[in-house]
Amino acid sequence: MDHEPQFRTATPRVVRVELADLYVGGNTAAVELDGHPCDAWAQALADCLVHDHTLAGVTAEVDGCWVHFTGVRKSAEPLAPRLLALVGAAGQRVYAPQMLRSISQAAPNAAAAA
């Protein structure tokens, strides 16, 4: 067990992605991060997830260095790159000015096109 203090970060990096059947039903994916994300990052991840049409209906739960995505369904698009992009977008959103965050919430497609 690691006895070093765990620092919170606003820009955690992905260590690994587990796409195996982790729970009964197999609708779960897990992402291990290199640090404990801060609360602002967790909120940014939830906001990004709401606006991602590819992952509609998926929920995320942050548990220490792990993020568990439940409700994941197989699709034509590979899932791992989508989850990596979502984690990266959450890190960028934490540092975005408040005005930009509110604009992207109001019109997510317009902010993505800019």
Side-chain angles (χ1 to χ4, degrees):
M1 185 156 118
D2 191 12
H3 294 290
E4 303 223 358
Q6 294 295 322
F7 298 103
R8 297 201 175 264
T9 180
T11 55
R13 287 181 249 156
V14 174
V15 175
R16 68 180 168 171
V17 177
E18 293 286 338
L19 299 174
D21 292 344
L22 301 174
Y23 295 119
V24 176
N27 292 333
T28 303
V31 175
E32 184 180 8
L33 306 172
D34 67 347
H36 289 257
C38 65
D39 294 336
W41 184 88
Q43 182 60 43
L45 179 71
D47 291 342
C48 290
L49 192 56
V50 166
H51 297 298
D52 190 323
H53 301 293
T54 306
L55 298 172
V58 175
T59 59
E61 177 186 336
V62 179
D63 182 20
C65 290
W66 288 91
V67 181
H68 300 279
F69 293 93
T70 55
V72 176
R73 293 177 192 86
K74 291 182 181 179
S75 67
E77 183 178 338
L79 181 62
R82 192 69 219 133
L83 294 177
L84 294 174
L86 191 68
V87 168
Q92 291 176 352
R93 190 178 186 112
V94 169
Y95 288 109
Q98 181 61 36
M99 180 181 224
L100 182 60
R101 278 185 255 157
S102 62
I103 290 171
S104 64
Q105 286 177 355
N109 295 332

